Amino acid sequence: MKILIVGGGSAGWMTAATLESQFPNYKISLIESKNISTVGVGESTLGQITDWMRLLKIEDKDFIKHVDGSYKLSIKFTDFYKKGEAFHYPFGQPATGGTKADTNDWWFKKILHPKTHYSDYADCTYPLQMAYVNQNKFDIKEVQRAYHFDATKFGLWLKNNYCKKIKHIVDDVVSIEQDENGITSLNNKYKADLYIDCTGFKSLLLDKTLKEPFESYSDMLPNDSAWATRIKYKDKEKELVPYTNCTAIENGWVWNIPLWSRIGTGYVYSSKFVNDETALKQFKKHLGQEDLEFKNIKMRVGIHNRLWVKNVVAIGLSAGFIEPLESNGLYTVHEFLIKLIRNLSRDKISQWDRDNFNYQCKHMFREFSEFVALHYALSHRNDTKYWNNCLNKTWDNTLINLKPVGITGINNAVWKRTYNFKFDSVGGFHSIAAGMHWSPTDKVSLIKDGNFTEESLEKEFEGCINNLNERKELCKQLVKEKPSLFSILKNVHK
């Protein structure tokens, strides 16, 4: 099979590296223009990227120092529920051994000790991971990690190290020829059996050429614009933290991503509530810095009706985009690629293969979109028109009754909020819900549906509460002697 990838950047070169690793006998080429710059702000990843790297046999020691890389153990949300509060969504599996109700034990602690801060949920449910986060320490053998890195440098590193059999073509696409079966050639010169669109928001093949309809998610996701910049460290040893910080401000939120040599930051906002000029002023005020180079980005939020049409497959921004919250940009790239591999492994490509790929990708995309939307739906901020809109908005029924397309972490009947129904221990929804003050149960439900009295509650749950506290303190002590993230990366980048 002959495959032509159109577009470079992180999506293009991740696609090239993946296909070369799995289909060494295919003739694979990548064409990109020297005049097109990448978006260049996708610098934060999720833990699933380590699965993709394992598939390609990529090890940390091979690439971290070449991509300005650091490690990420969690995502911090600041001022999302209301101003003055913050909470973490840690990576990895929660500690459920010896618990009474898996990740739900902490809610018994909160019910019986109401002054317990909601941020304590992550500390108790992910005690070892959060001990590393809170103390700014790192041990690759003990934590679930993702990465902060320069996505542009990562794409180039893949090109130079994992795409050696890929034919690299530097040329502008000035014409696209097609027939009833799809695209026949580019520039009347470059021909393939399968064309992969990695042209970003432009979506040159799927959108501009095949005219595949685009499904906007603007009714569910409020943001469509961003200002991005880079700032210098003032105190690297202190500011180089192992998490992405997301801080809610007037008309959206600001990301803070510490790489080794600098911090990547950006303001994601809604053009429905603020114009670009005012948003830039708000961003500068938040940063406390004026003399920086800022880049404005317009985001097309949603996904095409189909991602594989005839002989064209879209990967990355050309397929769809949610918004930067929860670091989903590169996530959809490697997850869509895994699904593409499965369908390309068959002898021939049938319409069923295309439809199956489209269903899998769109189901996952919708699931993630609903997860991101719940960050806004569960917020109780009301200090601006933007946040008031989130507070008073009538959300889609899948978010109201918490029976979404498939958010992992929600029991199918959790919306009943009784003792019998609880958060699952997989997925991340239970961490977000805790930070947003939304519980799977409460004292009233426990008494009404769990056959408890106020007097019997403490006796029933005293043991599991003590276990939570003891485990949290034990992990704090275990991590104290571990090396700092800064000291480890200092050796890596020397």
Side-chain angles (χ1 to χ4, degrees), residues 408-428:
T408 51
I410 304 181
N411 183 289
N412 286 335
V414 73
W415 61 279
K416 291 185 177 180
R417 296 178 73 176
T418 71
Y419 174 64
N420 297 317
F421 301 101
K422 58 190 180 182
F423 293 137
D424 293 334
S425 60
V426 297

Side-chain angles (χ1 to χ4, degrees), residues 100-102 104 108 410-424 439-442 444-452 461:
K100 188 177 184 67
D102 293 338
N104 304 275
F108 308 142
I410 304 181
N411 183 289
N412 286 335
V414 73
W415 61 279
K416 291 185 177 180
R417 296 178 73 176
T418 71
Y419 174 64
N420 297 317
F421 301 101
K422 58 190 180 182
F423 293 137
D424 293 334
S439 66
T441 190
D442 50 42
V444 172
S445 298
L446 288 170
I447 293 173
K448 178 182 179 295
D449 299 304
N451 297 318
F452 289 101
F461 298 115

Side-chain angles (χ1 to χ4, degrees), residues 226-231 249-250 253-255 264-268 277-289 292 294-295:
W227 282 106
T229 190
R230 302 173 176 185
I231 58 179
I249 62 173
E250 294 96 323
W253 61 278
V254 174
W255 75 72
T265 184
Y267 179 19
V268 182
E277 183 180 356
T278 304
L280 183 57
K281 290 179 181 178
Q282 292 172 347
F283 188 27
K284 289 179 177 178
K285 179 182 177 183
H286 172 80
L287 295 176
Q289 298 187 51
L292 295 168
F294 294 90
K295 180 179 182 179

Side-chain angles (χ1 to χ4, degrees), residues 352-399:
W352 186 93
D353 295 317
R354 299 183 186 95
D355 292 342
N356 178 258
F357 173 83
N358 290 331
Y359 173 80
Q360 290 186 67
C361 292
K362 290 197 68 178
H363 184 89
M364 186 199 78
F365 189 91
R366 180 72 187 189
E367 172 186 289
F368 210 124
S369 298
E370 290 173 338
F371 179 49
V372 171
L374 280 167
H375 292 60
Y376 301 102
L378 295 178
S379 173
H380 277 192
R381 281 190 64 158
N382 65 348
D383 50 298
T384 65
K385 289 183 178 180
Y386 173 93
W387 289 106
N388 250 320
N389 181 70
C390 293
L391 187 69
N392 296 307
K393 176 181 173 64
T394 299
W395 296 88
D396 186 270
N397 282 339
T398 58
L399 300 183

